[in-house]
Amino acid sequence: AAATTDTAISIPANAVVLGVSVRVTTVIPTAATFTVTGTTSGTTFNTAAVSTAATTTDVGTLACPYKNGAAQTVRITPNAQPADNTGRVRVTIHYYDITPPTS
C-alpha cells in the first residue's frame, strides 16, 4: 500500500529490453491506473496508463528496444496510493543479453 512498488526482479545490466509487460492479477484498490518505469532510469515502458482492473494487460514496449546501462528493478506507480496492499501485478521482462567472445 505504497505510493510506488519496486519489483524483486531486475533488468540485467547491458541487456537490450524488448518489453516490460504487465498483467493485473488482483485489482489494485483505490487507484484507477498505474505506470511501469525503470526504477533508476525513469524509462517508461507502459504504452498507455494501465487500468488497475483484474486481467488488464499492457505489452510494455513504449521505449523499446531499450539498452539498459545498469541493472535496475521495475517500478509500479499507481495514480493514487492504494488503500491496502492486496493488489497484484505480474511483471515480465523480455530482453536479450549479448555475451562477447571469451577467446
Side-chain angles (χ1 to χ4, degrees):
T4 63
T5 301
D6 298 342
T7 60
I9 59 173
S10 294
I11 303 170
N14 300 314
V16 177
V17 180
L18 303 175
V20 179
S21 61
V22 293
R23 179 182 181 87
V24 178
T25 58
T26 304
V27 65
I28 300 172
T30 312
T33 63
F34 64 91
T35 59
V36 182
T37 60
T39 302
T40 55
S41 70
T43 304
T44 301
F45 294 107
N46 56 287
T47 57
V50 185
S51 170
T52 58
T55 72
T56 300
T57 61
D58 186 88
V59 294
T61 56
L62 180 64
C64 295
Y66 169 76
K67 194 275 188 181
N68 192 54
Q72 67 176 323
T73 57
V74 175
R75 179 166 287 164
I76 304 295
T77 306
N79 69 327
Q81 186 164 336
D84 58 46
N85 69 348
T86 57
R88 299 290 179 262
V89 177
R90 181 180 307 136
V91 177
T92 306
I93 303 166
H94 308 269
Y95 68 92
Y96 64 87
D97 194 13
I98 304 294
T99 303
T102 55
S103 62

